[in-house]
Amino acid sequence: MTAKPGQRWISSSEPALGLGHVLDVEGDRVEIYFDVADEKRIYAMDSAPLVRVRLEVGDDWDGGEEGRKVVERVEEQDGLLVYHGDGWSLSEEELPSSLNFVRPEKRLLAGICDPPRDHDLRLKTLEWNSRIRQSAARGFMGARIELIPHQLAIALEASGRLQPRLMLADEVGLGKTIEACLILHHLLLTGRANRFLILVPEPLIHQWFVELLRRFNMTVAIFDEGRCQSIENGDPAANPFLDSQWVLASTDFLAHDAVRVHQAEEAGFDLLIVDEAHHLDWSPEKASEAYAMVEQLAARIPSLLLLTATPQQLGPEGHFARLRLLDPKRYHDLEQYRRECEGHVKLAAALDGLLEGKMPEGLEEACRDSPSAEALRQQLKGGDESAREALASELIDSFGTGRVLFRNTRDQLAGFPEREAHLHPLEPGESALKWLADWLQGQPEDEKVLLITGSPEMAIQVQEGLLEHVQVDTALFHEDLNLLQRDRNAAWFADPEGARILICSEIGSEGRNFQFARHLVLFGLPRNPELLEQRIGRLDRIGQIGTIHIHVPYGVASRSELQARWLHEGLDAFRKPLKGANALATTLLPELDELDESDSKAIEAFLERSRQLAADVADELAHGHDRLLELGSPKPERAAELVDQILDADEDRRFERFVLRLFDHLGLDVSDLAPRTFHLGRGQRHSEAFADLPQDGISVTFDREHALAREDVGFMTADHPMLLGAIDQLASSERGNASFAVWKRRGGGKAIWLEVSYVLEALAPSRLQPDRFLPPTLLRICVDHQGKLHKPQWSRRDLEPGDPRKLVGQEVFRAKLMPTMLDAAKEAAGIQSSKLIEEAKEAASEHLNAEIQRLQDLAHRNPQVSPEEVEALQDHADELIQALDSSRIRLDALRLVWAS
């Protein structure tokens, strides 16, 4: 296929986009703008689902006031088609973009028909496509995850924002990555984002790549300098970041290259995700290169997710730095933010008292700036207990940060393992490696052990020294290894038959999930207790089923003993997550540095002071900022309905039968492996929709538990790209869109019926999510040869294939009967569609107006809600209603039934 600017093409996989204009052609890449849907796409011509629009003599369309236009002659001028009719000429550039190009009536009149079963499957596919696209669980049900309510609640809340800009700050092990991927997946499948950029620390590149592929069936492109240079070598003028829709890169790669940052900024990404965002250093005087880079990108990219388990790690100043990335208009003054923070303790205390059934002293002050809150306080004061819960909600809504920062803590949730600390004193001259070897020999051979130390050099020394004492399979994980080596060693450690111990440098402390292990050995304790929690968090995660054992060898009467005792006896940091670690470290570390390890009395006093200060800080956080975040975070109960919808979809056997029938129809060999589990192999006639299927096929299951237990088996859901590709392939093809059937019935004489199937679709930008209210909807009309409407009186089993040529070749059928039946069907479909469009507009108006009203009410209480956000939602609603109003019906399929 060749393309030229000005030509008209359609996407066979997305016909609702309408006719597209070719804007630019560079080598094998073509840029097409679909003006009806306001979508611009870039395709590789050798693999694009594109069809050139070529009208033929006799084709016609409604020209509005100019009447019906019928093509009488077609010519080509400079690569563009020019159509001529009675007194008019029109270049293809001027064709209406909503023109229907797929014409099943031509196939029927030509006698090119498919069997009735193909027609039935086509209609069944269109029905399932509509159901899938309208589902509230779309984008959530396809994740290979356990359905954990707090994760789904956050994803649901974030996905409800037009352009989510949030910080996900769950404590270590609660699933921030899963939450971010759920939001990303939902935005992609609902069309609200097409291009995204994920920035992570370099050691986590492949973990993110594997997580997206394994859990969400998404293959992202990993970008580094080598890849960018390779793209530019082929086309020096190219922007490398336009080469892929989904990009994963290391933060450091972009942080130190202004040219690459500018290219990423100009690439038009819809969503930016930044992991380990606490590494972005900022102060009023100076920002780090990484921070400045993210700030530059965040100013251009509409949606932003920052991930950090330690939002307070750098104190209020560092916390403010991340908030200003999310909303620089709202968070522009550090001192003003500090003043706001001072009121958090009072507000939290008032809320706690309120929720305990009291009338707390600070309640009047908390309600001072909100007339609605004050009115509820007066109701409650007058004895109306029904106002208590509403008043609490009003006050929670007034907490500004709670709208942009979601933080779940272990205190809110259940199901976490116990943690036990094992401190191992080593006498002077006693080797830590000898202790480790002896300890390993005393453990069951199937126990996995994670060992973390401070540097690559120390990790290598530990491995070499350990092997001098005991023969054990060990794997290394440190920054001097390349990404592939690290991932292979981590995979070897995860293998039940693989390495028994993984020896890490500090980079093993962040992001990695080793919850299959229960023993953590620390060779050298981190100075900051915040980093200690990061280390323990590699094992202490949702899904860990055993008690976690933390082993700390230390030298007697040394600084290491003092550090171990401070963390264990003073802060209790091994047994449970430490609250306010940064504040404690700032205050206590200088005192710890001054201690003499031989002064036992001073040490005991310091440990007691540490215990008291830790309790005070935990109490302050429990009744201040953290408490407000806890109260304001989306409640897990909010996800209950979504969880039920996903579970219902998981158990739907009708869906399972449809998918297998569709795959079989498109040429796959389907064979049973186990209950609800199948092998999909390449058949001799398999469709191009399965071009990426491995040569030896794949195994898939419709059972979530089986998919979680067997990562080598694909999880087949309505979100799976293989299914979505198959639906697009069938719907965009001609298969089944023209069919002829014979109905041999007793009595009644001969008769002709025409089943006409239209698709009602909104020609709207995908960012508007019209599918929520009006997905592509199948309208089935049955008329007889006189144009009278009927309900089909036959079943699928009554119809047999036949040869239509004798009937469709008759002039009276072509000139009179067929037009009469089509006109009657179109009129009936128009009546049906008008009713459905009005219902969709009413539903959209009701839903969006309620959202606008809620946001307007919230804006009075929460400074985080800007007038721009309310205005954007109103514009969104207006644009969506207008788009729904211009929905069209598209003739999709015909079935001619001859009764004899």
Side-chain angles (χ1 to χ4, degrees):
M1 296 187 296
T2 58
K4 183 176 181 178
Q7 291 178 350
R8 308 304 297 274
W9 295 68
I10 63 170
S11 169
S12 61
S13 63
E14 298 178 279
L17 292 175
L19 273 61
H21 293 263
V22 175
L23 298 180
D24 190 30
V25 181
E26 292 185 19
D28 184 49
R29 293 168 62 244
V30 58
E31 183 178 17
I32 297 182
Y33 175 63
F34 299 92
D35 56 333
V36 170
D38 190 24
E39 297 277 355
K40 188 182 293 184
R41 302 286 174 85
I42 296 176
Y43 299 95
M45 287 298 292
D46 61 353
S47 60
L50 296 174
V51 176
R52 175 80 187 278
V53 175
R54 293 179 181 271
L55 301 182
E56 300 176 6
V57 173
D59 285 339
D60 63 336
W61 69 90
D62 186 0
E65 294 181 358
E66 299 178 8
R68 195 142 203 93
K69 292 184 179 295
V70 181
V71 177
E72 296 179 355
R73 183 166 56 89
V74 183
E75 63 178 358
E76 186 168 342
Q77 298 177 2
D78 298 326
L80 299 183
L81 299 173
V82 180
Y83 301 102
H84 302 276
D86 184 11
W88 60 267
S89 295
L90 201 66
S91 169
E92 65 177 290
E93 294 179 279
E94 302 172 273
L95 289 174
S97 297
S98 58
L99 188 66
N100 185 10
F101 183 61
V102 180
R103 310 295 285 268
E105 67 271 28
K106 290 195 170 186
R107 292 189 72 217
L108 182 61
L109 290 174
I112 305 172
C113 295
D114 301 308
R117 65 177 181 275
D118 288 4
H119 183 81
D120 290 332
L121 180 59
R122 181 181 187 87
L123 301 190
K124 183 65 70 177
T125 300
L126 294 174
E127 289 172 347
W128 273 106
N129 182 49
S130 177
R131 194 176 306 171
I132 289 168
R133 291 166 72 113
Q134 194 174 30
S135 171
R138 190 179 185 197
F140 299 129
M141 63 183 124
R144 189 200 295 259
I145 59 171
E146 293 184 25
L147 302 179
I148 299 174
H150 82 266
Q151 294 175 352
L152 289 167
I154 283 181
L156 196 59
E157 170 67 25
S159 302
R161 312 275 178 92
L162 283 183
Q163 295 174 338
R165 295 180 70 89
L166 303 167
M167 179 156 33
L168 306 181
D170 287 357
E171 285 186 340
V172 175
L174 299 191
K176 295 179 297 299
T177 304
I178 294 296
E179 292 165 3
C181 290
L182 281 168
I183 296 167
L184 165 64
H185 197 230
H186 178 79
L187 295 179
L188 285 173
L189 288 191
T190 54
R192 292 165 56 203
N194 293 308
R195 311 193 68 239
F196 63 79
L197 171 63
I198 301 176
L199 299 178
V200 304
E202 189 263 354
L204 302 183
I205 287 282
H206 277 74
Q207 178 172 320
W208 269 85
F209 179 87
V210 172
E211 194 84 344
L212 286 165
L213 178 62
R214 182 172 61 88
R215 292 190 185 275
F216 295 88
N217 300 295
M218 296 171 59
T219 303
V220 298
I222 297 176
F223 268 55
D224 55 18
E225 184 57 28
R227 181 171 189 143
C228 290
Q229 289 181 1
S230 176
I231 294 170
E232 290 175 333
N233 288 340
D235 182 1
N239 181 342
F241 291 94
L242 289 174
D243 192 65
S244 299
Q245 295 284 90
W246 305 344
V247 175
L248 172 64
S250 85
T251 310
D252 285 343
F253 159 55
L254 285 182
H256 308 301
D257 193 326
V259 173
R260 297 297 182 219
V261 176
H262 178 70
Q263 290 173 333
E265 185 182 13
E266 293 297 317
F269 290 108
D270 304 306
L271 171 65
L272 172 64
I273 298 177
V274 183
D275 195 10
E276 303 293 344
H278 51 276
H279 290 315
L280 305 175
D281 295 330
W282 177 90
S283 70
E285 295 76 30
K286 182 181 179 182
S288 67
E289 290 180 314
Y291 186 96
M293 176 269 295
V294 171
E295 184 176 26
Q296 183 176 340
L297 293 176
R300 288 286 295 274
I301 299 175
S303 295
L304 172 65
L305 299 179
L306 303 178
L307 279 62
T308 174
T310 54
Q312 301 280 19
Q313 182 176 1
L314 303 177
E317 184 177 283
H319 189 50
F320 172 80
R322 266 141 286 284
L323 292 174
R324 69 186 293 274
L325 290 175
L326 297 169
D327 189 348
K329 290 184 179 179
R330 166 73 174 86
Y331 296 101
H332 59 88
D333 188 324
L334 177 58
E335 291 309 312
Q336 178 182 334
Y337 174 72
R338 290 184 189 276
R339 289 192 294 272
E340 287 180 18
C341 292
E342 292 173 0
H344 291 164
V345 173
K346 293 180 180 178
L347 178 58
L351 272 166
D352 279 333
L354 189 64
L355 294 172
E356 291 169 3
K358 305 173 183 175
M359 287 290 289
E361 293 182 2
L363 188 58
E364 183 176 356
E365 182 181 351
C367 298
R368 183 175 300 159
D369 296 328
S370 172
S372 54
E374 176 59 23
L376 288 167
R377 187 185 75 85
Q378 292 295 341
Q379 283 182 241
L380 183 62
K381 187 177 179 181
D384 183 0
E385 279 297 317
S386 66
R388 184 177 296 277
E389 186 174 342
L391 177 55
S393 296
E394 287 277 331
L395 294 178
I396 290 170
D397 283 344
S398 70
F399 173 48
T401 313
R403 184 163 166 75
V404 293
L405 193 159
F406 295 156
R407 179 168 175 80
N408 284 299
T409 65
R410 294 162 187 263
D411 294 342
Q412 299 168 253
L413 308 170
F416 288 94
E418 297 291 324
R419 296 182 356 185
E420 289 186 9
H422 306 272
L423 272 58
H424 303 277
L426 304 177
E427 296 297 332
E430 187 177 354
S431 165
L433 289 173
K434 178 66 167 59
W435 165 82
L436 178 61
D438 293 342
W439 177 80
L440 278 173
Q441 289 178 316
Q443 300 300 313
E445 292 188 1
D446 60 348
E447 286 283 1
K448 298 281 186 175
V449 179
L450 176 67
L451 187 148
I452 300 181
T453 187
S455 67
E457 296 78 16
M458 180 59 71
I460 295 170
Q461 290 178 22
V462 170
Q463 183 191 46
E464 294 174 348
L466 179 62
L467 293 178
E468 292 178 2
H469 293 89
V470 63
Q471 292 301 310
V472 62
D473 287 332
T474 64
L476 280 175
F477 190 97
H478 57 75
E479 49 266 50
D480 290 347
L481 299 175
N482 63 41
L483 286 173
L484 184 59
Q485 289 172 318
R486 273 181 248 156
D487 284 337
R488 283 178 173 172
N489 288 348
W492 186 36
F493 178 53
D495 187 340
E497 304 299 322
R500 187 176 171 195
I501 181 170
L502 180 68
I503 302 172
C504 298
S505 64
E506 201 64 76
I507 66 169
S509 301
E510 292 190 340
R512 288 279 173 173
N513 182 350
F514 297 119
Q515 68 183 48
F516 51 84
R518 297 188 306 118
H519 290 276
L520 173 65
V521 177
L522 302 177
F523 265 34
L525 289 168
R527 179 172 170 79
N528 193 318
E530 191 83 57
L531 185 53
L532 173 66
E533 186 57 35
Q534 290 275 4
R535 289 186 177 186
I536 299 172
R538 299 314 97 216
L539 276 62
D540 188 2
R541 312 181 71 82
I542 286 182
Q544 173 66 263
I545 58 174
T547 298
I548 296 169
H549 299 274
I550 304 163
H551 303 272
V552 184
Y554 65 87
V556 173
S558 69
R559 300 303 298 182
S560 64
E561 178 181 11
L562 193 52
Q563 179 78 3
R565 291 190 62 193
W566 176 56
L567 292 172
H568 184 45
E569 299 175 33
L571 302 180
D572 198 16
F574 295 115
R575 195 175 60 86
K576 59 185 180 182
L578 183 63
K579 306 290 185 182
N582 183 72
L584 293 169
T586 301
T587 302
L588 295 173
L589 277 175
E591 298 180 27
L592 178 66
D593 293 339
E594 296 296 323
L595 281 177
D596 183 345
E597 53 263 34
S598 63
D599 189 344
S600 59
K601 186 174 181 180
I603 291 173
E604 291 299 331
F606 173 71
L607 294 177
E608 178 56 34
R609 168 168 159 70
S610 297
R611 284 189 286 269
Q612 186 58 51
L613 188 59
D616 292 343
V617 169
D619 183 71
E620 180 181 345
L621 289 173
H623 297 89
H625 186 270
D626 275 18
R627 176 58 175 158
L628 292 177
L629 286 176
E630 177 184 335
L631 291 170
S633 287
K635 297 295 183 286
E637 298 78 26
R638 284 194 55 193
E641 184 177 350
L642 177 60
V643 170
D644 289 341
Q645 290 173 333
I646 296 174
L647 291 174
D648 288 343
D650 285 349
E651 297 300 322
D652 191 343
R653 302 305 174 96
R654 296 171 304 162
F655 171 74
E656 182 178 331
R657 290 192 294 270
F658 159 70
V659 173
L660 296 178
R661 183 183 170 196
L662 177 62
F663 286 169
D664 176 74
H665 178 75
L666 292 178
L668 291 187
D669 288 336
V670 180
S671 55
D672 289 9
L673 294 177
R676 308 198 71 198
T677 303
F678 306 87
H679 182 266
L680 306 178
R682 287 174 171 267
Q684 294 184 355
R685 55 181 179 84
H686 79 276
S687 163
E688 63 186 49
F690 310 118
D692 294 332
L693 190 70
Q695 194 63 39
D696 56 351
I698 61 171
S699 298
V700 299
T701 183
F702 291 83
D703 184 88
R704 184 175 295 271
E705 289 187 10
H706 187 55
L708 289 170
R710 291 283 304 276
E711 293 185 1
D712 58 321
V713 176
F715 183 34
M716 185 56 61
T717 70
D719 287 343
H720 198 288
M722 188 172 172
L723 171 63
L724 298 178
I727 290 175
D728 285 344
Q729 175 68 24
L730 182 62
S732 62
S733 72
E734 295 179 336
R735 298 181 70 169
N737 77 340
S739 179
F740 178 78
V742 176
W743 180 24
K744 295 181 178 179
R745 60 174 183 168
R746 293 183 179 180
K750 298 179 180 180
I752 301 173
W753 285 278
L754 186 66
E755 277 190 276
V756 187
S757 295
Y758 289 93
V759 173
L760 171 62
E761 53 195 7
L763 299 181
S766 56
R767 59 180 170 78
L768 295 178
Q769 279 189 278
D771 291 348
R772 291 176 295 169
F773 309 103
L774 186 63
T777 303
L778 180 64
L779 306 178
R780 300 177 67 176
I781 312 293
C782 181
V783 297
D784 64 16
H785 65 283
Q786 295 179 332
K788 296 180 179 178
L789 299 181
H790 292 269
K791 289 185 177 180
Q793 301 172 24
W794 54 82
S795 69
R796 183 164 52 88
R797 296 175 182 176
D798 294 330
L799 302 181
E800 300 177 1
D803 186 349
R805 286 174 292 183
K806 184 176 179 180
L807 176 59
V808 301
Q810 297 179 30
E811 184 61 26
V812 67
F813 178 84
R814 302 172 70 88
K816 184 177 180 181
L817 298 185
M818 182 77 164
T820 297
M821 291 189 286
L822 283 176
D823 288 345
K826 186 173 184 179
E827 182 181 355
I831 295 172
Q832 285 189 27
S833 66
S834 296
K835 182 180 179 182
L836 291 173
I837 290 170
E838 287 304 314
E839 290 175 353
K841 287 165 58 180
E842 289 178 11
S845 295
E846 182 179 349
H847 174 81
L848 292 172
N849 287 338
E851 282 293 301
I852 292 167
Q853 184 63 52
R854 186 188 68 82
L855 208 57
Q856 288 173 334
D857 291 343
L858 186 59
H860 293 303
R861 308 188 297 277
N862 191 326
Q864 187 64 47
V865 182
S866 66
E868 291 82 4
E869 185 176 358
V870 178
E871 184 179 347
L873 186 56
Q874 183 64 66
D875 291 343
H876 174 88
D878 294 342
E879 190 177 358
L880 176 58
I881 298 301
Q882 185 177 355
L884 291 173
D885 200 38
S886 60
S887 299
R888 73 170 185 188
I889 54 172
R890 171 175 56 84
L891 178 59
D892 184 87
L894 297 170
R895 175 157 60 189
L896 185 62
V897 178
W898 168 252
S900 66

